[in-house]
Amino acid sequence: MEKVYEFKTLSVGICMFFLGYIALSIGQNQSILYIAMAVMTIGQIIYSPVIQNFTAEVIPYDHRSTYLSILDVIGHIGGIFAFLFVPLMNYVQPFIITVIYLLFGIISLFIIYRLKHINSKVNTSIRSVS
């Protein structure tokens, strides 16, 4: 039952993260931009420990710290790339940036649900063998 809540928490966190970026890309008012940044930050705070927990379960114990540090760096690089889209708004219409953020969010959720499906299949087959 704990795994179900972890996937729901992960999904909610990622949705909040990408919704914050989407609101940031279309926001015109300063208060909307502050709220978008808050939603984005809260979403990252929600999904980050869950991803680290999933990663820690998969990685061998003796290499865990290396993999988790690489995962952290990849997360920061992803945030930098997403933030680099903001200056592009001078050259590209905000709608296109919003669509790009939306596509990244949908792809992320698809990957998570696909991994959940694969993980449940593996756990079912392991239980049936034992």
Side-chain angles (χ1 to χ4, degrees):
M1 193 65 173
E2 184 176 309
K3 296 291 182 196
V4 172
Y5 291 120
E6 284 180 349
F7 279 109
K8 285 183 182 179
T9 304
L10 185 63
S11 300
V12 167
I14 287 179
C15 284
M16 287 179 68
F17 182 73
F18 282 105
L19 286 175
Y21 267 112
I22 289 170
L24 188 67
S25 68
I26 60 175
Q28 299 290 327
N29 189 350
Q30 186 177 9
S31 60
I32 291 175
L33 296 177
Y34 286 134
I35 292 170
M37 289 299 290
V39 168
M40 187 174 54
T41 302
I42 291 169
Q44 186 173 12
I45 289 170
I46 289 172
Y47 82 78
S48 183
V50 178
I51 285 187
Q52 287 181 353
N53 187 28
F54 286 143
T55 307
E57 290 175 359
V58 174
I59 299 170
Y61 182 75
D62 54 337
H63 296 120
R64 202 170 278 177
S65 63
T66 305
Y67 280 93
L68 288 177
S69 64
I70 290 171
L71 178 67
D72 190 43
V73 169
I74 290 171
H76 288 297
I77 290 172
I80 289 170
F81 277 124
F83 192 72
L84 288 177
F85 276 105
V86 175
L88 288 177
M89 291 175 64
N90 292 331
Y91 308 105
V92 179
Q93 293 179 354
F95 177 75
I96 294 173
I97 301 288
T98 303
V99 169
I100 291 171
Y101 286 155
L102 184 64
L103 287 175
F104 283 150
I106 291 170
I107 290 169
S108 298
L109 287 174
F110 176 74
I111 290 171
I112 288 169
Y113 284 113
R114 185 75 180 138
L115 289 174
K116 177 185 177 188
H117 180 69
I118 291 170
N119 191 18
S120 66
K121 271 187 164 180
V122 169
N123 287 341
T124 305
S125 65
I126 290 173
R127 288 183 191 142
S128 65
V129 170
S130 59

